[in-house]
Amino acid sequence: MNDKPIVVLTALDVEYEAVREKLDTPRVHRHPQGTRFELGRLAGGKCRIALGLVGKGNQSAAVLTERAITEFSPVALIFVGVAGALHTHIPLGDLVVATHVYAFHGGTSEDDGFKSRPRVWEASHGADQLARHVARDRAWADDGRTGKVHFGPIAAGEVVLDSKVSAYARWIRQHFNDALAIEMEGAGVAQAAHLNRSLPVVVVRGISDRADGTKETTDREQWQARAVANAAAYTVALAENLAGEERDRARSEANDPKGSTDMPGTTRNVAKDNARVGVQAGQVYGGIHVSSERTAPADPAEAIAGLAARLQQARTSGQLDEDTYQAAQAELAAASETLLTTAPQDMGAVTLALKKVRGLVADVAILAAEVGTIIALVQGLS
Ligand SMILES: Nc1nc2c([nH]c(=O)n2[C@H]2C[C@H](O)[C@@H](COP(=O)(O)OP(=O)(O)OP(=O)(O)O)O2)c(=O)[nH]1
């Protein structure tokens, strides 16, 4: 089964908490640069979520979206948060899902005034259709939620708008008249996704104020928490649907590999003790070309570095759990260190550390085999 997660990003703690509540026993996933994601399945559902907090603003949203995409290779990305309404027909607590995101700050300042040069990102057709379907279905509101989902453009900039009459308010009304809501992260997220082969992104915003000078009051009345609770409920339903579509797609490709340019589903083997798995295949079409997947490096240090990278991939794909991954990396680091500081005839400690790694990754046959190859390389040094 294809088990790539859906990445869900948020800017504020109140937004993060609203989504986190929906996860069944989330576990921390630490990025080497310090970003902490939480991975978990939706309670009562099948979809895996990688949840992250990007903070306020388009810049950090773009950087951390890029980081999340690289780390998890997700099926799709959803940004969930609050926003201010730009049209009076959208009440507090309703949701706005972006059909377009305007980066409204772009422009040129000339003698006769400021000319707008916004960047615009359009939601992908498939994601937009599915988001509308989920909104119509209203199963997400089964627990009595009354919020409505509106589809339309969202304006994303670097300011919190809390006025009807300020220069910003006039500027937005004049140039982005169809924008339904205003916020500060959608443009960064959309740009990062666009640069990643146009990964499908859905921006979901719960309306928590009217961007009209009353934000302090609506914040005090807890509208952020109320609005984002609606947004999180809708997001859960959307994520399950996005993941379901991806499963259907993977299944139909596996059943009809001729119509697909990708490899059908991956076959994963678990080899224990002395068992070995040669080739296991469901159906084989056409001529068969067999070659070794990788040429093993002759240098043990290089081989250990390659293995460290593959351990990381195995952790990301869920083949290795966090504790096993950390323990294996620690042994690998010890092996590397000893390799550098020990004479070639005295490699016992390196071999021992590598054997511990092999024991730790024994459930992932391909990794265990790779460790075996490195052990042989190291033993060949002495
Ligand atoms: N409800 C609402 N949310 C907005 C607006 N503009 C805006 O960027 N957002 C979204 C995106 C940001 O992540 C976040 C900003 O809201 P906030 O409550 O943190 O704004 P603030 O900086 O004035 O808040 P504070 O820390 O001063 O209390 O909410 C807006 O006008 N209304």
PDB file of all heavy atoms in Angstrom, residues 95-128:
ATOM      1  N   LEU A  95     -15.444  28.806   6.628  1.00  0.00           N
ATOM      2  CA  LEU A  95     -14.129  28.469   6.078  1.00  0.00           C
ATOM      3  C   LEU A  95     -13.970  29.073   4.690  1.00  0.00           C
ATOM      4  O   LEU A  95     -14.947  29.174   3.935  1.00  0.00           O
ATOM      5  CB  LEU A  95     -13.964  26.950   5.962  1.00  0.00           C
ATOM      6  CG  LEU A  95     -14.207  26.135   7.226  1.00  0.00           C
ATOM      7  CD1 LEU A  95     -13.869  24.669   6.965  1.00  0.00           C
ATOM      8  CD2 LEU A  95     -13.357  26.649   8.367  1.00  0.00           C
ATOM      9  N   VAL A  96     -12.737  29.448   4.378  1.00  0.00           N
ATOM     10  CA  VAL A  96     -12.415  29.837   3.002  1.00  0.00           C
ATOM     11  C   VAL A  96     -11.329  28.885   2.519  1.00  0.00           C
ATOM     12  O   VAL A  96     -10.295  28.717   3.170  1.00  0.00           O
ATOM     13  CB  VAL A  96     -11.923  31.297   2.914  1.00  0.00           C
ATOM     14  CG1 VAL A  96     -11.439  31.609   1.502  1.00  0.00           C
ATOM     15  CG2 VAL A  96     -13.047  32.254   3.301  1.00  0.00           C
ATOM     16  N   VAL A  97     -11.573  28.263   1.382  1.00  0.00           N
ATOM     17  CA  VAL A  97     -10.572  27.406   0.742  1.00  0.00           C
ATOM     18  C   VAL A  97     -10.109  28.136  -0.518  1.00  0.00           C
ATOM     19  O   VAL A  97     -10.929  28.570  -1.336  1.00  0.00           O
ATOM     20  CB  VAL A  97     -11.170  26.021   0.396  1.00  0.00           C
ATOM     21  CG1 VAL A  97     -10.163  25.181  -0.376  1.00  0.00           C
ATOM     22  CG2 VAL A  97     -11.585  25.308   1.671  1.00  0.00           C
ATOM     23  N   ALA A  98      -8.782  28.253  -0.654  1.00  0.00           N
ATOM     24  CA  ALA A  98      -8.243  29.094  -1.735  1.00  0.00           C
ATOM     25  C   ALA A  98      -8.375  28.434  -3.104  1.00  0.00           C
ATOM     26  O   ALA A  98      -7.940  27.299  -3.300  1.00  0.00           O
ATOM     27  CB  ALA A  98      -6.774  29.395  -1.466  1.00  0.00           C
ATOM     28  N   THR A  99      -8.997  29.162  -4.030  1.00  0.00           N
ATOM     29  CA  THR A  99      -8.919  28.749  -5.436  1.00  0.00           C
ATOM     30  C   THR A  99      -7.651  29.344  -6.058  1.00  0.00           C
ATOM     31  O   THR A  99      -7.066  28.776  -6.965  1.00  0.00           O
ATOM     32  CB  THR A  99     -10.138  29.256  -6.225  1.00  0.00           C
ATOM     33  OG1 THR A  99     -10.230  30.674  -6.032  1.00  0.00           O
ATOM     34  CG2 THR A  99     -11.419  28.595  -5.770  1.00  0.00           C
ATOM     35  N   HIS A 100      -7.252  30.539  -5.548  1.00  0.00           N
ATOM     36  CA  HIS A 100      -6.013  31.198  -5.941  1.00  0.00           C
ATOM     37  C   HIS A 100      -5.420  31.809  -4.683  1.00  0.00           C
ATOM     38  O   HIS A 100      -6.154  32.165  -3.774  1.00  0.00           O
ATOM     39  CB  HIS A 100      -6.247  32.401  -6.855  1.00  0.00           C
ATOM     40  CG  HIS A 100      -7.035  32.132  -8.071  1.00  0.00           C
ATOM     41  ND1 HIS A 100      -8.365  31.822  -8.071  1.00  0.00           N
ATOM     42  CD2 HIS A 100      -6.648  32.162  -9.363  1.00  0.00           C
ATOM     43  CE1 HIS A 100      -8.770  31.655  -9.308  1.00  0.00           C
ATOM     44  NE2 HIS A 100      -7.748  31.855 -10.120  1.00  0.00           N
ATOM     45  N   VAL A 101      -4.097  31.959  -4.688  1.00  0.00           N
ATOM     46  CA  VAL A 101      -3.471  32.772  -3.635  1.00  0.00           C
ATOM     47  C   VAL A 101      -2.797  33.952  -4.330  1.00  0.00           C
ATOM     48  O   VAL A 101      -2.019  33.771  -5.264  1.00  0.00           O
ATOM     49  CB  VAL A 101      -2.420  31.956  -2.853  1.00  0.00           C
ATOM     50  CG1 VAL A 101      -1.706  32.854  -1.850  1.00  0.00           C
ATOM     51  CG2 VAL A 101      -3.068  30.773  -2.139  1.00  0.00           C
ATOM     52  N   TYR A 102      -3.133  35.167  -3.884  1.00  0.00           N
ATOM     53  CA  TYR A 102      -2.466  36.368  -4.383  1.00  0.00           C
ATOM     54  C   TYR A 102      -1.367  36.765  -3.404  1.00  0.00           C
ATOM     55  O   TYR A 102      -1.664  36.965  -2.225  1.00  0.00           O
ATOM     56  CB  TYR A 102      -3.428  37.564  -4.416  1.00  0.00           C
ATOM     57  CG  TYR A 102      -4.594  37.483  -5.353  1.00  0.00           C
ATOM     58  CD1 TYR A 102      -5.885  37.757  -4.898  1.00  0.00           C
ATOM     59  CD2 TYR A 102      -4.418  37.202  -6.706  1.00  0.00           C
ATOM     60  CE1 TYR A 102      -6.971  37.731  -5.754  1.00  0.00           C
ATOM     61  CE2 TYR A 102      -5.507  37.173  -7.577  1.00  0.00           C
ATOM     62  CZ  TYR A 102      -6.780  37.426  -7.091  1.00  0.00           C
ATOM     63  OH  TYR A 102      -7.854  37.410  -7.927  1.00  0.00           O
ATOM     64  N   ALA A 103      -0.130  36.939  -3.907  1.00  0.00           N
ATOM     65  CA  ALA A 103       0.906  37.577  -3.085  1.00  0.00           C
ATOM     66  C   ALA A 103       0.727  39.068  -3.324  1.00  0.00           C
ATOM     67  O   ALA A 103       1.289  39.624  -4.267  1.00  0.00           O
ATOM     68  CB  ALA A 103       2.281  37.102  -3.512  1.00  0.00           C
ATOM     69  N   PHE A 104      -0.052  39.720  -2.469  1.00  0.00           N
ATOM     70  CA  PHE A 104      -0.563  41.041  -2.840  1.00  0.00           C
ATOM     71  C   PHE A 104       0.444  42.171  -2.692  1.00  0.00           C
ATOM     72  O   PHE A 104       0.190  43.288  -3.125  1.00  0.00           O
ATOM     73  CB  PHE A 104      -1.866  41.367  -2.092  1.00  0.00           C
ATOM     74  CG  PHE A 104      -1.728  41.569  -0.605  1.00  0.00           C
ATOM     75  CD1 PHE A 104      -1.278  42.775  -0.103  1.00  0.00           C
ATOM     76  CD2 PHE A 104      -2.089  40.568   0.275  1.00  0.00           C
ATOM     77  CE1 PHE A 104      -1.174  42.975   1.259  1.00  0.00           C
ATOM     78  CE2 PHE A 104      -1.983  40.750   1.640  1.00  0.00           C
ATOM     79  CZ  PHE A 104      -1.524  41.958   2.134  1.00  0.00           C
ATOM     80  N   HIS A 105       1.625  41.904  -2.091  1.00  0.00           N
ATOM     81  CA  HIS A 105       2.572  42.996  -1.913  1.00  0.00           C
ATOM     82  C   HIS A 105       3.356  43.359  -3.168  1.00  0.00           C
ATOM     83  O   HIS A 105       3.956  44.424  -3.226  1.00  0.00           O
ATOM     84  CB  HIS A 105       3.561  42.658  -0.793  1.00  0.00           C
ATOM     85  CG  HIS A 105       3.030  43.057   0.539  1.00  0.00           C
ATOM     86  ND1 HIS A 105       2.524  42.163   1.438  1.00  0.00           N
ATOM     87  CD2 HIS A 105       2.893  44.274   1.101  1.00  0.00           C
ATOM     88  CE1 HIS A 105       2.112  42.795   2.509  1.00  0.00           C
ATOM     89  NE2 HIS A 105       2.319  44.082   2.337  1.00  0.00           N
ATOM     90  N   GLY A 106       3.391  42.476  -4.148  1.00  0.00           N
ATOM     91  CA  GLY A 106       4.217  42.727  -5.339  1.00  0.00           C
ATOM     92  C   GLY A 106       3.771  43.972  -6.090  1.00  0.00           C
ATOM     93  O   GLY A 106       2.575  44.212  -6.273  1.00  0.00           O
ATOM     94  N   GLY A 107       4.719  44.805  -6.530  1.00  0.00           N
ATOM     95  CA  GLY A 107       4.329  45.988  -7.287  1.00  0.00           C
ATOM     96  C   GLY A 107       5.506  46.837  -7.669  1.00  0.00           C
ATOM     97  O   GLY A 107       6.659  46.496  -7.393  1.00  0.00           O
ATOM     98  N   THR A 108       5.215  47.931  -8.336  1.00  0.00           N
ATOM     99  CA  THR A 108       6.260  48.875  -8.689  1.00  0.00           C
ATOM    100  C   THR A 108       5.786  50.277  -8.310  1.00  0.00           C
ATOM    101  O   THR A 108       4.635  50.644  -8.574  1.00  0.00           O
ATOM    102  CB  THR A 108       6.621  48.765 -10.195  1.00  0.00           C
ATOM    103  OG1 THR A 108       7.313  49.944 -10.584  1.00  0.00           O
ATOM    104  CG2 THR A 108       5.424  48.608 -11.076  1.00  0.00           C
ATOM    105  N   SER A 109       6.674  51.033  -7.685  1.00  0.00           N
ATOM    106  CA  SER A 109       6.309  52.367  -7.225  1.00  0.00           C
ATOM    107  C   SER A 109       6.779  53.375  -8.279  1.00  0.00           C
ATOM    108  O   SER A 109       7.977  53.488  -8.531  1.00  0.00           O
ATOM    109  CB  SER A 109       6.983  52.626  -5.879  1.00  0.00           C
ATOM    110  OG  SER A 109       6.672  53.920  -5.445  1.00  0.00           O
ATOM    111  N   GLU A 110       5.851  54.076  -8.885  1.00  0.00           N
ATOM    112  CA  GLU A 110       6.203  55.007  -9.968  1.00  0.00           C
ATOM    113  C   GLU A 110       5.721  56.415  -9.628  1.00  0.00           C
ATOM    114  O   GLU A 110       4.986  56.611  -8.649  1.00  0.00           O
ATOM    115  CB  GLU A 110       5.594  54.491 -11.275  1.00  0.00           C
ATOM    116  CG  GLU A 110       6.153  53.117 -11.630  1.00  0.00           C
ATOM    117  CD  GLU A 110       5.676  52.575 -12.957  1.00  0.00           C
ATOM    118  OE1 GLU A 110       4.930  53.279 -13.656  1.00  0.00           O
ATOM    119  OE2 GLU A 110       6.052  51.439 -13.269  1.00  0.00           O
ATOM    120  N   ASP A 111       6.128  57.388 -10.441  1.00  0.00           N
ATOM    121  CA  ASP A 111       5.781  58.789 -10.143  1.00  0.00           C
ATOM    122  C   ASP A 111       4.275  58.971 -10.005  1.00  0.00           C
ATOM    123  O   ASP A 111       3.798  59.757  -9.188  1.00  0.00           O
ATOM    124  CB  ASP A 111       6.293  59.710 -11.263  1.00  0.00           C
ATOM    125  CG  ASP A 111       7.805  59.875 -11.182  1.00  0.00           C
ATOM    126  OD1 ASP A 111       8.385  59.407 -10.161  1.00  0.00           O
ATOM    127  OD2 ASP A 111       8.394  60.424 -12.124  1.00  0.00           O
ATOM    128  N   ASP A 112       3.540  58.239 -10.817  1.00  0.00           N
ATOM    129  CA  ASP A 112       2.086  58.417 -10.757  1.00  0.00           C
ATOM    130  C   ASP A 112       1.405  57.371  -9.872  1.00  0.00           C
ATOM    131  O   ASP A 112       0.223  57.099 -10.013  1.00  0.00           O
ATOM    132  CB  ASP A 112       1.493  58.410 -12.173  1.00  0.00           C
ATOM    133  CG  ASP A 112       1.787  57.122 -12.903  1.00  0.00           C
ATOM    134  OD1 ASP A 112       2.686  56.369 -12.428  1.00  0.00           O
ATOM    135  OD2 ASP A 112       1.145  56.838 -13.917  1.00  0.00           O
ATOM    136  N   GLY A 113       2.182  56.785  -8.968  1.00  0.00           N
ATOM    137  CA  GLY A 113       1.542  55.898  -7.989  1.00  0.00           C
ATOM    138  C   GLY A 113       2.093  54.482  -8.013  1.00  0.00           C
ATOM    139  O   GLY A 113       3.000  54.157  -8.781  1.00  0.00           O
ATOM    140  N   PHE A 114       1.535  53.672  -7.151  1.00  0.00           N
ATOM    141  CA  PHE A 114       1.984  52.274  -6.996  1.00  0.00           C
ATOM    142  C   PHE A 114       1.204  51.390  -7.957  1.00  0.00           C
ATOM    143  O   PHE A 114      -0.017  51.474  -8.041  1.00  0.00           O
ATOM    144  CB  PHE A 114       1.739  51.826  -5.550  1.00  0.00           C
ATOM    145  CG  PHE A 114       2.422  50.545  -5.204  1.00  0.00           C
ATOM    146  CD1 PHE A 114       3.770  50.518  -4.883  1.00  0.00           C
ATOM    147  CD2 PHE A 114       1.719  49.348  -5.208  1.00  0.00           C
ATOM    148  CE1 PHE A 114       4.410  49.322  -4.563  1.00  0.00           C
ATOM    149  CE2 PHE A 114       2.343  48.153  -4.889  1.00  0.00           C
ATOM    150  CZ  PHE A 114       3.695  48.146  -4.569  1.00  0.00           C
ATOM    151  N   LYS A 115       1.934  50.583  -8.725  1.00  0.00           N
ATOM    152  CA  LYS A 115       1.272  49.685  -9.686  1.00  0.00           C
ATOM    153  C   LYS A 115       1.392  48.249  -9.159  1.00  0.00           C
ATOM    154  O   LYS A 115       2.485  47.811  -8.805  1.00  0.00           O
ATOM    155  CB  LYS A 115       1.923  49.783 -11.068  1.00  0.00           C
ATOM    156  CG  LYS A 115       2.067  51.198 -11.618  1.00  0.00           C
ATOM    157  CD  LYS A 115       0.699  51.699 -12.040  1.00  0.00           C
ATOM    158  CE  LYS A 115       0.680  53.134 -12.542  1.00  0.00           C
ATOM    159  NZ  LYS A 115       1.806  53.989 -12.404  1.00  0.00           N
ATOM    160  N   SER A 116       0.264  47.564  -9.185  1.00  0.00           N
ATOM    161  CA  SER A 116       0.235  46.206  -8.640  1.00  0.00           C
ATOM    162  C   SER A 116       0.872  45.195  -9.595  1.00  0.00           C
ATOM    163  O   SER A 116       0.601  45.199 -10.789  1.00  0.00           O
ATOM    164  CB  SER A 116      -1.232  45.820  -8.399  1.00  0.00           C
ATOM    165  OG  SER A 116      -1.293  44.559  -7.832  1.00  0.00           O
ATOM    166  N   ARG A 117       1.771  44.372  -9.067  1.00  0.00           N
ATOM    167  CA  ARG A 117       2.332  43.260  -9.836  1.00  0.00           C
ATOM    168  C   ARG A 117       2.324  42.016  -8.949  1.00  0.00           C
ATOM    169  O   ARG A 117       3.379  41.549  -8.520  1.00  0.00           O
ATOM    170  CB  ARG A 117       3.763  43.565 -10.267  1.00  0.00           C
ATOM    171  CG  ARG A 117       3.869  44.630 -11.321  1.00  0.00           C
ATOM    172  CD  ARG A 117       5.309  44.755 -11.780  1.00  0.00           C
ATOM    173  NE  ARG A 117       5.448  45.815 -12.755  1.00  0.00           N
ATOM    174  CZ  ARG A 117       6.616  46.190 -13.284  1.00  0.00           C
ATOM    175  NH1 ARG A 117       7.728  45.573 -12.902  1.00  0.00           N
ATOM    176  NH2 ARG A 117       6.671  47.151 -14.168  1.00  0.00           N
ATOM    177  N   PRO A 118       1.167  41.509  -8.685  1.00  0.00           N
ATOM    178  CA  PRO A 118       1.095  40.370  -7.755  1.00  0.00           C
ATOM    179  C   PRO A 118       1.539  39.074  -8.423  1.00  0.00           C
ATOM    180  O   PRO A 118       1.462  38.953  -9.645  1.00  0.00           O
ATOM    181  CB  PRO A 118      -0.401  40.292  -7.445  1.00  0.00           C
ATOM    182  CG  PRO A 118      -1.053  40.811  -8.688  1.00  0.00           C
ATOM    183  CD  PRO A 118      -0.132  41.864  -9.243  1.00  0.00           C
ATOM    184  N   ARG A 119       2.001  38.137  -7.637  1.00  0.00           N
ATOM    185  CA  ARG A 119       2.143  36.764  -8.140  1.00  0.00           C
ATOM    186  C   ARG A 119       0.886  36.020  -7.714  1.00  0.00           C
ATOM    187  O   ARG A 119       0.300  36.296  -6.665  1.00  0.00           O
ATOM    188  CB  ARG A 119       3.378  36.091  -7.539  1.00  0.00           C
ATOM    189  CG  ARG A 119       4.656  36.672  -8.073  1.00  0.00           C
ATOM    190  CD  ARG A 119       5.779  35.690  -7.942  1.00  0.00           C
ATOM    191  NE  ARG A 119       5.534  34.492  -8.725  1.00  0.00           N
ATOM    192  CZ  ARG A 119       6.420  33.508  -8.839  1.00  0.00           C
ATOM    193  NH1 ARG A 119       7.574  33.587  -8.226  1.00  0.00           N
ATOM    194  NH2 ARG A 119       6.148  32.435  -9.557  1.00  0.00           N
ATOM    195  N   VAL A 120       0.496  35.081  -8.545  1.00  0.00           N
ATOM    196  CA  VAL A 120      -0.736  34.339  -8.254  1.00  0.00           C
ATOM    197  C   VAL A 120      -0.480  32.848  -8.454  1.00  0.00           C
ATOM    198  O   VAL A 120       0.158  32.462  -9.432  1.00  0.00           O
ATOM    199  CB  VAL A 120      -1.876  34.744  -9.224  1.00  0.00           C
ATOM    200  CG1 VAL A 120      -3.173  34.045  -8.838  1.00  0.00           C
ATOM    201  CG2 VAL A 120      -2.063  36.239  -9.252  1.00  0.00           C
ATOM    202  N   TRP A 121      -0.946  32.050  -7.539  1.00  0.00           N
ATOM    203  CA  TRP A 121      -0.875  30.593  -7.697  1.00  0.00           C
ATOM    204  C   TRP A 121      -2.296  30.047  -7.662  1.00  0.00           C
ATOM    205  O   TRP A 121      -3.086  30.382  -6.776  1.00  0.00           O
ATOM    206  CB  TRP A 121      -0.078  29.948  -6.571  1.00  0.00           C
ATOM    207  CG  TRP A 121       1.350  30.392  -6.549  1.00  0.00           C
ATOM    208  CD1 TRP A 121       2.411  29.799  -7.169  1.00  0.00           C
ATOM    209  CD2 TRP A 121       1.886  31.529  -5.856  1.00  0.00           C
ATOM    210  NE1 TRP A 121       3.560  30.496  -6.920  1.00  0.00           N
ATOM    211  CE2 TRP A 121       3.272  31.571  -6.117  1.00  0.00           C
ATOM    212  CE3 TRP A 121       1.334  32.530  -5.050  1.00  0.00           C
ATOM    213  CZ2 TRP A 121       4.101  32.543  -5.603  1.00  0.00           C
ATOM    214  CZ3 TRP A 121       2.165  33.512  -4.531  1.00  0.00           C
ATOM    215  CH2 TRP A 121       3.524  33.506  -4.815  1.00  0.00           C
ATOM    216  N   GLU A 122      -2.584  29.198  -8.616  1.00  0.00           N
ATOM    217  CA  GLU A 122      -3.932  28.625  -8.711  1.00  0.00           C
ATOM    218  C   GLU A 122      -3.916  27.220  -8.110  1.00  0.00           C
ATOM    219  O   GLU A 122      -2.940  26.482  -8.289  1.00  0.00           O
ATOM    220  CB  GLU A 122      -4.333  28.545 -10.193  1.00  0.00           C
ATOM    221  CG  GLU A 122      -5.793  28.300 -10.382  1.00  0.00           C
ATOM    222  CD  GLU A 122      -6.203  28.488 -11.849  1.00  0.00           C
ATOM    223  OE1 GLU A 122      -5.474  29.144 -12.589  1.00  0.00           O
ATOM    224  OE2 GLU A 122      -7.242  27.957 -12.213  1.00  0.00           O
ATOM    225  N   ALA A 123      -4.975  26.869  -7.413  1.00  0.00           N
ATOM    226  CA  ALA A 123      -5.060  25.512  -6.852  1.00  0.00           C
ATOM    227  C   ALA A 123      -5.129  24.504  -7.997  1.00  0.00           C
ATOM    228  O   ALA A 123      -5.683  24.800  -9.059  1.00  0.00           O
ATOM    229  CB  ALA A 123      -6.307  25.388  -5.981  1.00  0.00           C
ATOM    230  N   SER A 124      -4.556  23.307  -7.781  1.00  0.00           N
ATOM    231  CA  SER A 124      -4.601  22.305  -8.858  1.00  0.00           C
ATOM    232  C   SER A 124      -6.055  21.862  -9.066  1.00  0.00           C
ATOM    233  O   SER A 124      -6.862  21.863  -8.122  1.00  0.00           O
ATOM    234  CB  SER A 124      -3.727  21.106  -8.509  1.00  0.00           C
ATOM    235  OG  SER A 124      -4.407  20.237  -7.652  1.00  0.00           O
ATOM    236  N   HIS A 125      -6.358  21.521 -10.304  1.00  0.00           N
ATOM    237  CA  HIS A 125      -7.738  21.167 -10.643  1.00  0.00           C
ATOM    238  C   HIS A 125      -8.258  20.016  -9.776  1.00  0.00           C
ATOM    239  O   HIS A 125      -9.344  20.082  -9.199  1.00  0.00           O
ATOM    240  CB  HIS A 125      -7.788  20.789 -12.129  1.00  0.00           C
ATOM    241  CG  HIS A 125      -9.125  20.308 -12.566  1.00  0.00           C
ATOM    242  ND1 HIS A 125     -10.241  21.112 -12.552  1.00  0.00           N
ATOM    243  CD2 HIS A 125      -9.533  19.089 -13.016  1.00  0.00           C
ATOM    244  CE1 HIS A 125     -11.278  20.417 -12.981  1.00  0.00           C
ATOM    245  NE2 HIS A 125     -10.882  19.193 -13.265  1.00  0.00           N
ATOM    246  N   GLY A 126      -7.419  18.961  -9.660  1.00  0.00           N
ATOM    247  CA  GLY A 126      -7.860  17.776  -8.913  1.00  0.00           C
ATOM    248  C   GLY A 126      -8.121  18.102  -7.452  1.00  0.00           C
ATOM    249  O   GLY A 126      -9.130  17.683  -6.874  1.00  0.00           O
ATOM    250  N   ALA A 127      -7.188  18.859  -6.846  1.00  0.00           N
ATOM    251  CA  ALA A 127      -7.345  19.181  -5.419  1.00  0.00           C
ATOM    252  C   ALA A 127      -8.564  20.080  -5.218  1.00  0.00           C
ATOM    253  O   ALA A 127      -9.321  19.916  -4.252  1.00  0.00           O
ATOM    254  CB  ALA A 127      -6.077  19.857  -4.898  1.00  0.00           C
ATOM    255  N   ASP A 128      -8.760  21.009  -6.137  1.00  0.00           N
ATOM    256  CA  ASP A 128      -9.906  21.918  -6.024  1.00  0.00           C
ATOM    257  C   ASP A 128     -11.225  21.142  -6.117  1.00  0.00           C
ATOM    258  O   ASP A 128     -12.154  21.357  -5.330  1.00  0.00           O
ATOM    259  CB  ASP A 128      -9.809  22.972  -7.139  1.00  0.00           C
ATOM    260  CG  ASP A 128     -10.999  23.921  -7.139  1.00  0.00           C
ATOM    261  OD1 ASP A 128     -11.071  24.753  -6.222  1.00  0.00           O
ATOM    262  OD2 ASP A 128     -11.854  23.824  -8.036  1.00  0.00           O
TER     263      ASP A 128
END
